[in-house]
Amino acid sequence: MNKNKNIIGPLGEPMTLDDLPPANTKRWVIRRKAEVVAAVRGGLLTLEDACSRYSLSVEEFLSWQQAIDANGMQGLKVTKTQQYRGTRPF
């Protein structure tokens, strides 16, 4: 981890480790999920570091990444229940 490294965040702004959600985050809004994905993709955190820091499973992180790849940040609106059932939000 390079604390001073600077990447471009999901909203187009510069982002460093200090800009990431707190490690004790419990409420995962779209922006926070996208920031963690951007941090891993940009090299601020490794996948393992992100999962450890935020108590995420690899599968959960990868689902966020896939949602962004498929539908941009709006893809992160889908809840876990909706993902498992294969339904879409109304």
Side-chain angles (χ1 to χ4, degrees), residues 23-76:
N24 64 350
T25 297
K26 299 292 182 224
R27 186 165 180 267
W28 285 101
V29 296
I30 292 169
R31 178 187 48 80
R32 290 179 184 153
K33 292 177 184 180
E35 287 171 344
V36 174
V37 170
V40 171
R41 287 184 167 170
L44 287 179
L45 293 173
T46 66
L47 173 60
E48 294 79 17
D49 290 339
C51 290
S52 175
R53 178 177 178 153
Y54 296 111
S55 299
L56 302 171
S57 68
V58 171
E59 292 79 14
E60 186 171 18
F61 175 86
L62 293 176
S63 75
W64 295 355
Q65 190 168 267
Q66 287 175 320
I68 290 171
D69 290 345
N71 298 299
M73 285 178 59
Q74 292 303 309
L76 294 170

